[in-house]
Every structure is written in structure tokens, then in C-alpha cells.
Amino acid sequence: MRMSQLFARTLRDAPSGAEMASHRLLLRAGYIHQLGAGIFTLLPLGRQVSDRVEAILRQEMDRIGGQELSMPVVNPADVWKETGRYHQIGEEMGRFQDRGGRDMVLAMTHEEVVATLARDVIQSYRQLPQLLYHLQTKWRDDPRPRAGLIRVREFVMKDSYSLDADAAGLDRQYDAHHRAYHRIFRRCGLPVVDVLADVGMMGGSASHEFMYLTPAGEDTLLLCDACGHRANRQVATFRKPTAEAEDARPLERVETPGVTTIASLADFLGVPSSRTAKAVFQVATIVEDDAESDRLVFAVVRGDMELSETKLRNAVGARDLRPATDEEIRAAGAVPGYASPVGIEGVTVVVDDLVKDSPNLVAGANEEGWHLLHVNFGRDFGADLVTDLVAADEGLGCPDCGEPLHTRRGVEVGNIFKLGTRYTEALGCRYLDADGRERPVWMGSYGIGSGRLLACIAEEHHDEDGLVWPMAVAPYQVHIVSLAGGDAEAERLYASLADGGWDVLWDDRNESAGVKFKDADLLGVPIRLTVSGRSLEKGGVELKLRRDSERRIVALADVGAEIEAVVSALEAETGA
């Protein structure tokens, strides 16, 4: 490609609002163009990188037995209603009606479609296992798109779906994807860790996320260096402290004027926050029999702990959670700042298991300016549910080995789910086993967003001058820069390398050397060849790797062989 013909424009400065380095550089280098909030065009350079990423995805899916197909982005809502997700998923799902008034969905993922396909195709155990995948545009109406391609509303995803006769088969395909994902990210030059994750709207029994660690990430991860335990904070557990055993003391009211926070309560009474009970009111949106209702939930955690909203949402089966207003709290008979589980009625009470085992806590009295001393679970209050409700944090004990956990931030670049029979049971997807008995098909679901992966590669591989693409995903392998006295030889070299099968970008523009070199650094093509009268006088062309400062002269007759050696060496670094 000649740069004089390339549909792109480089910018000296990034547009305002570009937060992460990848966002700024992809905009400046002409890889992407923003059309709207969370909606981007991949320009030719961006399309080139995306094609290379998607080629790696296809190769690794084929390697574990995947068969590519193409499923529609527009789905009849009926299949989503059969599984219940039409009503369980909130406003991020794109819904509309066709001209016949039928409810339709812009598919966010394709579990329903795959289960419907399998229902019509799979009849016998002899047809299992199967692995299907596609790369297709998705729409999720994210309320807070940010950071360029990191968090968007329209995106391309590689989603694959395993179909098996039993749980053991699902386990094998899940493990195969786990290994394949690590190969994919390694080939793309992206370091990742896999962590235990929330199954969320997907459901199922287990999930892992593949996280690119970066301070700009939105997810908080809990990691143990001692044993390798890793989990997303949404679901992370830890070794909870053992409360000291003591006899239950008589309940006692104490006046606490103006004391409405755990910190001020502990200070006022001279007790550690671990001796207090924290009241957290949330309004849960519950969907039952396709009907949606709001339910006030009273969560009780120990004062030295923080509520995990994900754990609470999963515990009560809520689609969404939001903090309750003071008016909603008062309507339930509680007092904001002094709320207590003691005597509360008409709300769903969920208690953390550490509160259950901690005697003689201080809790609110449901009366302005008053608290209760020596509150005990079982004697003074009960619960609709007792479970783990609290968020893990830095320094708490690893659930596996007890050593301190530490936190890191990360961006999710892939996920895998053991769905089991959730979708196949709902949609009647069954097969006949060897004894002629009907059995439900077991499913797994596995996703990687190619645009987010592209952005994270750019985030990992850049410097102060621009992008530094790994060879496996670079838009071009070689960037020829022609300067005064070298145009004719540059054109011959460009034709020769292109005829030899190399992907070459030639800067044939009538620009200064400074502009060309700055753009070459910004675009980030791995190998730069500079052809000028000066280089030809020295015996050939100047070769420089984008990631290095070293330059050397290569004879014109040796350029092809040298390029082949350099490309092979760079690809070998990531196993490409």
C-alpha cells in the first residue's frame, strides 16, 4: 500500500476525551474513527490488524475442533423468552418490533440460537461432542462506553459453543478452551492471567475471565503470589477471621446522637468496627414468570467489611440492584443511619455468615439517635438467607493457603462459561443416549472481543512516539520510507517485496523526512526500511526495528533474505 493512497490521516494530538494510551494512539494513527458514543469505524489500518487478530482466533478454534458458522444478529425474541433472559436482561439489550409487530432482539450473545440449532440437528449421542463458533457483530447498549475500543456498544466477538453428552465432556471442552485462550493471547503478544469470575447473566456452574493487567482496568482482581489463587473481586472469597467466642449479653439501648456511620459509631463507643453490624439497603429488581418487581433487601455485614453487590445480587436472584432511598428505608420502618435488623419486618433480610458467627455486635435501634448493644443473630434477629456477602480486599487471607491477597486492576479480554443444561433444558434440546434414553445436551460458552483485544495489544505495545505492534498482528510487516535520492530504488524495492509475498507499506508522500519518521513511529509497523541517496551511497538501505534504536545498512540484494530472517525471529517470540 502506498501511503499517498491510504485512507487515513495522522494527527499530532489526540482528540479531547481520549483516556487511555491505546485510545489516543489508535485515533492519532488513523486506525479508528468515532461515529458516536461507543460506536467506532475500523479504518483500513485498523481493519488490517483486526483481520490478523481474527485469523489467530480462527486458527486456534479450528485447532481444538471448532467449526465456523454464521448466526444472525437479529433474533426472534421468542427464543430469549423461552430461556427467561428476555426479561432478565436490562436496558443493555437491543429490543425492537418488526413490521408485523413481533418482538425482536439484537443478539448480545448466541446461547439461545445455538441451543435451538442443536435441538433441530442433534438427535443421537453419536453426533456429540460438537464445537461451533463464529465472529460476528454484537450490540450491547452500555450506559458508560469509555476508553475507545475497550468498552463499546457495538463490537465483534468470537463466540464459541460446545455441545456434549455429559458434564465430563463439557469439562474437557472447557479445559481445551482454557489452553487455547492462553495460546491466542500469547500469539497476540498480550500477557494475561485467568481468574475465577461471576457467571452473571450467562448462568451456569463456573466461569473464568482472562485479564490483561493494567492500572486503567475497570475490574479489581485478588491475587495470591504464594499459591497462584486468582479471582475477580466480584466473586473473590477469603479466609474470614474467626470471631472470639463469648456468651451472649443482655440487649441494651445506648444513646448515640448524630452518630450515623460505622466509623463515627466505633469512635463514639470506643469499640473496633469489627464489633458493629453494618446495615445496607438495596432495591432488587426481581423477574419471576416474566413479571418484573422491585423488592427491598436489607443486607447485614460486619462493620469492618464491605458489601459485595455482585454476591448480594446472586444471592437474591436479582437482575439489577440499586441503593434504596431514605424514603424507601423509612417506609419499611427503618431509620437511615440507625437501621437495625432487630424488629424489621416486610423486607428480605440477607445476613453475611460472619455476622451470624460474631456475638454481641452493636447495631442500629431503628430510632433516631439510638443504637443497640449486644445484638446476637438467632436470639435478636433472623434472616431470610445467610451467605457470604462481603468483598475480598488487599491483605486478607487467601482462601486456599491463607497468605495475604493483593489487588490488581485488569481489563477482561476473554471469558469462558460452563453453562450445563440451563439453555438446552429450557429449549428442549435433547439427544438419545446409547440406551435409547433422552438426555439434555450439555453446553459451554466462550467469548473474546476482537476489538477490545486489539486495543489491549495497543495498550501493551506502545512508547512515547506511538504504537509498536507485535509482528503477528501488525497491519504491515515492512514500512518503506523513501527520502531524497531514493525514490526510484524505493519503488523497485516496494514492488519486489510485495511480489515476494510481504505486506509492505510505502511512504511515497512528498513530505519531509521528519514528518515521515514521526508517522512511521506513530503507525508502529515492526520493520522500517529507509531508502535515500545517503543510504545508497553507504551500500544499500537502512533497516531499523520499530522497538529498537539500532540502525544498520543492508545491501539491496540481501533485503529479502534479511526481512525473512527478522520476521521469523519476531514471530517466534510469541509463538506465532
Side-chain angles (χ1 to χ4, degrees), residues 280-286 292-299 307 309-310 312-313 316 318-329:
V280 184
F281 282 91
Q282 297 277 314
V283 175
T285 301
I286 308 292
E292 180 182 301
S293 62
D294 286 343
R295 181 182 305 168
L296 189 63
V297 176
F298 185 1
L307 174 70
E309 291 190 5
T310 299
L312 178 61
R313 185 177 65 246
V316 300
R319 188 187 74 188
D320 296 305
L321 283 178
R322 65 167 175 81
T325 64
D326 286 354
E327 291 72 20
E328 289 168 326
I329 295 171

Side-chain angles (χ1 to χ4, degrees), residues 175 233 247 410 458 497:
D175 292 342
R233 191 172 188 240
D247 293 335
L497 291 176

Side-chain angles (χ1 to χ4, degrees), residues 192-220:
V192 301
V193 297
D194 57 274
V195 303
L196 296 171
D198 179 35
V199 298
M201 72 168 186
M202 303 291 286
S205 62
S207 173
H208 282 81
E209 293 169 334
F210 294 78
M211 289 284 182
Y212 165 56
L213 301 181
T214 170
E218 288 188 319
D219 287 272
T220 300

Side-chain angles (χ1 to χ4, degrees), residues 86 126 185 237 256 262 317-318 325 340 564:
Y86 184 82
R126 293 186 179 89
F185 298 125
T237 59
T256 52
I262 291 295
T325 64
S340 174
E564 184 171 0

Side-chain angles (χ1 to χ4, degrees), residues 135-155:
L135 286 98
Q136 189 226 47
T137 299
K138 313 286 188 188
W139 171 263
R140 293 182 186 176
D141 198 1
D142 194 307
R144 295 178 300 278
R146 60 176 291 271
L149 300 182
I150 295 290
R151 188 167 177 173
V152 294
R153 296 193 291 165
E154 180 180 304
F155 56 96

Side-chain angles (χ1 to χ4, degrees), residues 470-472 476-478 501-503 526-527 543 545 552 559-574 576:
M471 181 60 75
Y476 295 93
Q477 297 163 310
V478 181
W502 300 109
D503 295 317
I527 301 171
L543 185 149
L545 298 187
R552 54 193 173 91
V559 170
E562 188 66 23
I563 294 297
E564 184 171 0
V566 172
V567 169
S568 296
L570 292 177
E571 288 181 340
E573 292 178 357
T574 58

